[in-house]
Amino acid sequence: MADELATPFDKSKSHPAALSTERYGVNKKELLKACTSREYLLMKRNSFVYYFKLFQLTSLALISMTLFLRTQMDRNNVDDGQVYIGALFFTVMTMMFNGMSEMALTIYKLPVFYKQRDLLFYPAWAYALPTWILKIPISFVEVALWIVLTYYEIGLDPNIIRFLKHYLILLLEQQMASGLFRFIGGLGRDMIVANTFGSFALLILVALGGFVLSRENVKKWWIWGYWTSPMMYAQNAIVVNEFRGHQWNKPVANSSETLGVVVIKSRGQFADTYWYWIGAGALIGFTILFNFAFTLALTYLKPFGKSQAVKPDDSEDDKINVELSERSVSSSSKGNQARRRSMSSGSSSTRADAIVESNENKKKGMILPFEPHSLTFDDVSYSVDMPQEMKDQGADSDRLVLLKGVSGAFRPGVLTALMGVSGAGKTTLMDVLAGRKTGGYIEGDIKISGYPKKQETFARISGYCEQNDIHSPHVTVYESLLYSAWLRLPGEVNSAKRKMFVEEVMELVELNPLRAALVGLPGINGLSTEQRKRLTIAVELVANPSIIFMDEPTSGLDARAAAIVMRTVRNTVDTGRTVVCTIHQPSIDIFEAFDELFLMKRGGQEIYVGPLGRHSSHLISYFEESAQGVSKITDGYNPATWMLEVSSSSQEMMLGVDFADIYKNSELYKRNKALIAELNVPHPGTQDLHFDTQYSQSFFTQCVACLWKQHRSYWRNTSYTAVRFWFTAFIAVMFGTMFWDLGGKKSSRADLFNAMGSMYAAVIFLGVQNASSVQPVVAVERTVFYREKAAGMYSALPYAFGQVAIEIPYIFKQSVVYGVIVYAMIGFEWTVAKFLWYTFFMYFTLFYFTLYGMMTVAVTPNHNIAAIVASAFYGIWNVFSGFLIPRPSIPIWWRWYYWVCPVAYSLYGLLVSQFGDIKEQMSEPDNKSVEQFLDDYFGFKHDFLGVCAAMILVFTGLFAFIFAFSIKAFNFQRR
């Protein structure tokens, strides 16, 4: 071999295809074709999003066409022109917001993209190009729908050329908006961060778009923002296209210009016709720029966070010999093993004696006493309504049976494995026994220590470790356990004893080295899969349960991690608790750590229920003797794998047997039936489970505990709380420099429009940012809430209270920081009353927007759908806010919505509190006082200030109530 290696390799002898010389597997055309095909498939699968956007656009178009109806729209003076400009601005804003859904869709697909990019499936451009090109036909349809419903109904210029130019500008604007939000999604890579970037981008574009703040009033240090705002070009082009038309070609008194030109210039925009083509060209350029920047972001940026285990402080785990089979026969545990075997075959009195002895000898984790309970189930069936797909294929039954009359008994101190092929009904049976099913039909007899099972009391003495390890990500391991113990242990257990018990459980589950580690999000940060699994077990153990269900505790773990988890499970069983685990394809060591096996076949029938025996001897002898032709197990072969192979459907067909029937006719079945009958008779002196209250703790304690956990979570969730705080401070400084010293100017309508523009932009954009950024936070916590509520920790109202109450101090800081900075820099009148009114309206506006974001999550399945649903109302609130079209100009049939629009009360209160009591004369129009102008143009009266304040409080309370009610009434977790 040395001589062979010493001879240089002759490359001419190697095959030309032995080494790849290309970076990707196929050529560029095939890469693009594959990515296009996949993107088209995803679009079809996500068709709900596009249909919902069409529905949303149709609704907004119907509102717009009836709000700005041509019969109510005159063209006689500049004030009439302002209403038309408001209608055009709303159109431009709608197309801009319509592109915002691209951000959520982009972020949703990024994890898969990063994995495939790093594995060299395809380059970033092959992924980015189809996401842009395939959306263009959808934009054609969406813009056409909007134009057809609004253009002639509003009464815009009827010339077909101007109609088509109007269509072109909106099409280009929507492409620009989609490209912008795709780029923000690729740049942010996280929903909270991207929402913050998106809100900031929208704010810059709209505030400097030439409508909220006219060009003459843009400060010289912000003029660059005006010239780089795509919305400025879209707004200017669409305004020029309309107001240079025939309908506005009217003379104006004391002016040589037409009415249309005067209207355009009154808002500080450019009136030259060539500005239409400048705007169109600029939008094309921005579209290409944003999509190119999106491609660069995909090419060079890496995903946020990296999944990695939290390394324990000590090296105890590194010294562990994880051979559980050796441990099970070691001298230190022979007594326990003998007791487990005796429990599997002996009488109930013998088992009770063994448990008492075990409790005396095994003090670990037993600082609190508990009452051992057995669980028996006899002839249990579970069925669901027949799916429509199966009916279409010829199924004539109304119900699909998933469990067919299964029977068994789970006993204290015995570790039972619940096994079977995929689809056998393992998790279904466990969910039925644990009372976790949210639908379907359950029949049969389930008893706890001989008494009929009642779910309300059963939840107090049981624990359920779900396959998906669901925990609040921003609390530590110790805090998670303390919180669970606080809410699930009886009220008579004081704080000191509770903490001592938590320490014992942490030692039992070997979590002490990780006590200060943050839990984190699965696959992103925090604990490893194995550490999370142990935390899931510990969270249930601190409730001091008598019966514990574990769904796939070793799923997704390597051999060493699985052994650590199973050692934890074994420690738990040795305390005398009843433990049942579903398990899938275990190793020999893990399989033989179990005492008994409950084996199921596809169709929900049991085929073996009994003890495993030493080296699975009982199980092996049962199957080898059950039918002629069963293949014998070979030495060293995994009994679990062999058992599933010999009992498979194909083997049944080959042997011509039904193992379910064989089991039903066996002695083992008769013994199990006798055991069930024995355990179904309550022991003398025992009584049925009874608790005075449904929950362990009082309603007040539940509220305190939920608020405590939310406080810990929010304090550490800097990507939400800190980013929102600094975003607000930055926006305040930006607004202050944009609208510098405009708050004290009251000489003309433009001054008041600028002041109101600053309030409008703050309310809409800070509000939307608050609502958007809170949605993913609430969505994560709601998933945890489903688990904790099912475990009987608390009712829905304390959770809702904690989620709402924790926002109060954070929003207060946010509104105070914003209020002080903006109030001083814009130069509003410094009186205590006016400043407090300003802060009051900003605080409750941000509060009800935040609650609105929470509410949309509570009534929808996930935060992606919530973001799309919420955005529908942003557009409606925007148009009825009183800024784009003042209340007196709103047609009478829509005026009712002005009075139910929360943003309208915010703007009403902000403007009236600052200017509603000023008698000072304005130079234009018509030398009216400020107070009189607000009344004539906006319909605002200072006397209405108290009503505005009350209505703001009503909306805040209403959204909080709907959030709490929806959390209580809706459960989107289907089991």
Side-chain angles (χ1 to χ4, degrees):
M1 186 183 288
D3 292 341
E4 187 179 336
L5 290 174
T7 306
F9 179 69
D10 186 358
K11 291 183 180 179
S12 64
K13 294 179 181 179
S14 66
H15 193 280
L19 293 175
S20 174
T21 57
E22 299 292 332
R23 185 173 175 83
Y24 300 102
V26 293
N27 60 44
K28 294 177 181 179
K29 181 180 177 182
E30 289 298 318
L31 288 170
L32 188 59
K33 185 178 176 182
C35 289
T36 303
S37 176
R38 201 251 315 250
E39 183 64 27
Y40 179 67
L41 179 66
L42 289 175
M43 286 172 64
K44 286 200 296 185
R45 298 271 166 81
N46 274 333
S47 57
F48 168 78
V49 173
Y50 302 104
Y51 284 125
F52 184 84
K53 283 175 66 181
L54 282 175
F55 170 76
Q56 178 183 328
L57 270 179
T58 304
S59 304
L60 284 175
L62 291 172
I63 291 171
S64 184
M65 63 181 270
T66 51
L67 183 64
F68 298 101
L69 196 63
R70 63 189 303 165
T71 57
Q72 302 289 312
M73 303 270 281
D74 299 320
R75 302 179 189 83
N76 300 323
N77 51 44
V78 175
D79 281 352
D80 294 337
Q82 298 293 345
V83 178
Y84 273 92
I85 287 184
L88 293 173
F89 178 71
F90 178 64
T91 297
V92 170
M93 282 276 286
T94 301
M95 291 301 129
M96 196 74 193
F97 273 106
N98 195 46
M100 205 167 184
S101 60
E102 279 296 312
M103 189 166 65
L105 292 174
T106 298
I107 292 172
Y108 184 69
K109 295 185 291 186
L110 279 180
V112 173
F113 163 76
Y114 285 130
K115 183 181 76 170
Q116 295 179 345
R117 178 198 67 179
D118 295 341
L119 292 173
L120 299 183
F121 276 38
Y122 45 73
W125 64 264
Y127 173 86
L129 205 55
T131 61
W132 170 23
I133 302 300
L134 288 180
K135 306 289 174 63
I136 293 176
I138 295 176
S139 291
F140 272 97
V141 175
E142 290 176 344
V143 176
L145 178 70
W146 177 271
I147 293 268
V148 166
L149 288 176
T150 62
Y151 190 87
Y152 289 110
E153 289 75 9
I154 290 176
L156 301 178
D157 197 298
N159 184 293
I160 188 64
I161 300 299
R162 294 194 185 277
F163 173 87
L164 293 174
K165 289 167 72 177
H166 188 93
Y167 178 81
L168 175 63
I169 280 295
L170 293 186
L171 183 66
L172 293 176
E173 192 213 351
Q174 183 157 355
Q175 283 300 302
M176 177 275 299
S178 297
L180 171 65
F181 287 111
R182 266 196 297 273
F183 167 58
I184 289 173
L187 185 66
R189 292 160 286 165
D190 173 81
M191 203 63 199
I192 296 174
V193 176
N195 271 324
T196 304
F197 283 170
S199 298
F200 176 70
L202 268 179
L203 182 58
I204 289 282
L205 299 187
V206 174
L208 296 174
F211 181 80
V212 174
L213 185 64
S214 63
R215 180 168 50 93
E216 291 89 348
N217 295 110
V218 177
K219 304 299 179 185
K220 58 185 178 182
W221 50 82
W222 272 112
I223 199 67
W224 62 268
Y226 176 83
W227 289 110
T228 55
S229 170
M231 269 194 71
M232 183 276 284
Y233 294 97
Q235 176 75 10
N236 213 115
I238 208 168
V239 164
V240 164
N241 184 55
E242 170 61 25
F243 287 98
R244 293 308 296 257
H246 174 71
Q247 296 182 115
W248 296 92
N249 192 18
K250 298 178 180 179
V252 178
N254 304 320
S255 175
S256 59
E257 297 173 325
T258 63
L259 177 59
V261 172
V262 171
V263 171
I264 295 172
K265 290 186 175 180
S266 72
R267 300 299 295 189
Q269 292 172 316
F270 300 100
D272 300 306
T273 53
Y274 59 77
W275 265 93
Y276 174 85
W277 297 109
I278 291 177
L283 289 174
I284 293 172
F286 279 117
T287 302
I288 295 171
L289 174 65
F290 291 142
N291 282 288
F292 178 70
F294 173 55
T295 307
L296 289 180
L298 292 180
T299 304
Y300 294 108
L301 294 181
K302 294 181 179 179
F304 269 139
K306 193 172 182 181
S307 181
Q308 56 184 39
V310 178
K311 189 175 180 182
D313 295 333
D314 60 28
S315 58
E316 179 189 351
D317 283 347
D318 296 332
K319 302 173 185 176
I320 292 169
N321 220 347
V322 295
E323 304 241 345
L324 290 182
S325 57
E326 291 181 14
R327 180 185 180 277
S328 66
V329 296
S330 66
S331 57
S332 63
S333 61
K334 281 181 181 175
N336 284 337
Q337 188 182 11
R339 281 193 293 275
R340 290 200 298 275
R341 300 305 176 212
S342 70
M343 283 186 257
S344 296
S345 55
S347 67
S348 57
S349 60
T350 307
R351 284 192 300 277
D353 295 340
I355 291 165
V356 170
E357 184 184 350
S358 174
N359 289 347
E360 289 173 355
N361 294 335
K362 190 76 175 175
K363 295 297 183 184
K364 194 176 185 183
M366 291 296 293
I367 191 172
L368 291 179
F370 75 96
E371 185 179 346
H373 287 287
S374 62
L375 170 65
T376 60
F377 51 101
D378 194 14
D379 203 27
V380 169
S381 297
Y382 175 73
S383 57
V384 294
D385 292 325
M386 184 67 70
Q388 188 59 45
E389 294 85 351
M390 297 183 71
K391 287 183 178 180
D392 295 340
Q393 293 173 9
D396 54 359
S397 175
D398 290 334
R399 291 186 182 178
L400 176 63
V401 180
L402 302 179
L403 295 177
K404 296 178 181 176
V406 295
S407 304
F410 303 140
R411 288 154 296 157
V414 178
L415 178 56
T416 306
L418 187 52
M419 291 187 66
V421 296
S422 296
K426 307 182 294 292
T427 303
T428 300
L429 175 60
M430 186 176 282
D431 283 346
V432 167
L433 296 178
R436 293 297 180 99
K437 283 294 179 189
T438 59
Y441 309 93
I442 301 173
E443 298 170 357
D445 194 25
I446 305 175
K447 291 189 175 180
I448 309 297
S449 295
Y451 295 97
K453 176 191 165 219
K454 300 186 188 75
Q455 186 57 35
E456 295 76 16
T457 54
F458 181 68
R460 296 281 291 272
I461 58 108
S462 66
Y464 191 109
C465 301
E466 298 189 9
Q467 183 175 349
N468 299 320
D469 306 304
I470 302 167
H471 305 283
S472 294
H474 298 289
V475 294
T476 65
V477 167
Y478 177 70
E479 288 165 353
S480 297
L481 300 180
L482 194 62
Y483 174 70
S484 183
W486 188 359
L487 285 169
R488 296 179 70 176
L489 290 175
E492 55 267 20
V493 178
N494 61 36
S495 176
K497 190 176 289 187
R498 189 165 60 230
K499 289 179 180 177
M500 202 181 302
F501 183 59
V502 168
E503 295 290 348
E504 289 285 339
V505 170
M506 287 183 70
E507 185 180 347
L508 177 75
V509 189
E510 302 173 44
L511 281 174
N512 265 325
L514 299 168
R515 63 184 300 125
L518 284 183
V519 174
L521 288 166
I524 297 175
N525 51 30
L527 302 182
S528 69
T529 307
E530 170 263 323
Q531 291 165 342
R532 295 177 71 85
K533 190 68 67 178
R534 282 190 283 143
L535 175 62
T536 299
I537 296 171
V539 161
E540 297 302 319
L541 282 181
V542 293
N544 200 28
S546 301
I547 302 171
I548 303 174
F549 299 96
M550 298 185 184
D551 191 6
E552 302 270 11
T554 60
S555 177
L557 304 181
D558 60 27
R560 179 181 181 279
I564 293 172
V565 169
M566 285 310 300
R567 186 180 62 203
T568 297
V569 175
R570 187 74 258 174
N571 288 343
T572 305
V573 176
D574 289 344
T575 62
R577 288 169 168 82
T578 303
V579 180
V580 186
C581 297
T582 62
I583 198 120
H584 187 67
Q585 293 183 328
S587 66
I588 296 178
D589 296 335
I590 289 176
F591 185 62
E592 294 191 344
F594 287 92
D595 303 320
E596 292 197 350
L597 172 69
F598 193 106
L599 179 62
M600 302 177 72
K601 63 178 280 189
R602 193 183 297 275
Q605 295 174 284
E606 72 268 51
I607 55 178
Y608 179 84
V609 180
L612 283 175
R614 180 176 173 81
H615 299 310
S616 306
S617 56
H618 294 343
L619 171 71
I620 293 168
S621 62
Y622 173 84
F623 275 105
E624 288 184 341
E625 298 167 5
S626 62
Q628 291 292 327
V630 174
S631 58
K632 307 294 183 184
I633 189 170
T634 58
D635 288 342
Y637 198 69
N638 188 342
T641 306
W642 173 82
M643 162 198 75
L644 293 174
E645 288 173 354
V646 300
S647 64
S648 65
S649 300
S650 59
Q651 282 292 310
E652 283 187 328
M653 291 176 64
M654 190 182 302
L655 299 172
V657 298
D658 185 342
F659 282 110
D661 289 340
I662 292 174
Y663 170 70
K664 289 286 174 71
N665 296 315
S666 67
E667 285 297 317
L668 183 61
Y669 176 74
K670 294 174 184 176
R671 287 206 306 270
N672 283 326
K673 279 291 190 179
L675 178 61
I676 292 170
E678 179 190 350
L679 292 174
N680 276 348
V681 178
H683 285 294
T686 62
Q687 58 183 3
D688 196 1
L689 289 172
H690 173 72
F691 298 99
D692 294 331
T693 57
Q694 182 180 354
Y695 300 99
S696 298
Q697 300 293 340
S698 66
F699 181 82
F700 176 75
T701 305
Q702 292 174 43
C703 290
V704 171
C706 288
L707 184 59
W708 175 83
K709 188 182 83 164
Q710 291 294 350
H711 166 62
R712 300 279 175 154
S713 294
Y714 268 55
W715 183 249
R716 297 194 185 97
N717 191 359
T718 52
S719 66
Y720 171 58
T721 52
V723 167
R724 183 173 63 170
F725 181 82
W726 290 113
F727 174 80
T728 303
F730 185 76
I731 290 298
V733 173
M734 193 181 83
F735 269 4
T737 54
M738 266 187 201
F739 297 92
W740 180 268
D741 206 28
L742 293 179
K745 296 180 180 178
K746 303 176 280 288
S747 59
S748 68
R749 75 166 71 221
D751 293 333
L752 289 177
F753 284 155
N754 287 333
M756 191 178 183
S758 72
M759 298 168 181
Y760 161 79
V763 166
I764 291 292
F765 290 101
L766 282 179
V768 169
Q769 198 269 339
N770 268 31
S772 300
S773 59
V774 79
Q775 286 172 335
V777 175
V778 175
V780 169
E781 287 296 334
R782 182 178 64 175
T783 310
V784 180
F785 159 76
Y786 285 145
R787 175 184 66 78
E788 293 176 342
K789 184 188 177 190
M793 291 175 66
Y794 48 69
S795 64
L797 292 181
Y799 165 78
F801 166 78
Q803 189 74 66
V804 170
I806 193 59
E807 287 285 355
I808 293 174
Y810 285 94
I811 295 174
F812 180 74
K813 292 174 187 174
Q814 183 186 8
S815 56
V816 167
V817 166
Y818 177 83
V820 169
I821 294 174
V822 167
Y823 205 89
M825 295 180 75
I826 294 182
F828 291 123
E829 186 178 343
W830 274 105
T831 66
V832 173
K834 291 194 173 186
F835 176 73
L836 290 178
W837 273 120
Y838 189 89
T839 306
F840 171 86
F841 279 107
M842 283 307 302
Y843 173 74
F844 280 101
T845 297
L846 296 177
F847 199 7
Y848 73 64
F849 262 106
T850 304
L851 292 173
Y852 174 72
M854 292 184 186
M855 182 188 80
T856 54
V857 172
V859 299
T860 53
N862 57 65
H863 71 270
N864 292 315
I865 301 295
I868 296 168
V869 170
S871 65
F873 282 92
Y874 299 151
I876 298 173
W877 288 357
N878 181 22
V879 74
F880 284 104
S881 63
F883 181 66
L884 301 184
I885 175 170
R887 178 168 50 84
S889 300
I890 297 176
I892 193 69
W893 52 81
W894 270 120
R895 210 164 291 174
W896 64 271
Y897 195 88
Y898 176 88
W899 296 115
V900 296
C901 175
V903 177
Y905 289 99
S906 295
L907 286 182
Y908 197 137
L910 285 167
L911 196 65
V912 164
S913 64
Q914 294 301 315
F915 302 107
D917 58 346
I918 294 178
K919 313 288 187 185
E920 184 181 323
Q921 297 292 311
M922 299 168 60
S923 59
E924 64 94 12
D926 305 328
N927 293 321
K928 293 179 181 177
S929 68
V930 174
E931 182 182 34
Q932 185 64 42
F933 174 75
L934 291 180
D935 192 0
D936 292 346
Y937 187 80
F938 293 108
F940 288 175
K941 298 180 184 295
H942 191 265
D943 296 342
F944 205 69
L945 188 58
V947 177
C948 291
M951 288 304 297
I952 291 288
L953 295 175
V954 167
F955 281 112
T956 303
L958 177 66
F959 293 155
F961 170 78
I962 296 174
F963 169 69
F965 176 80
S966 301
I967 283 290
K968 181 179 176 64
F970 302 145
N971 185 351
F972 294 99
Q973 191 180 51
R974 292 282 169 252
R975 300 183 73 142

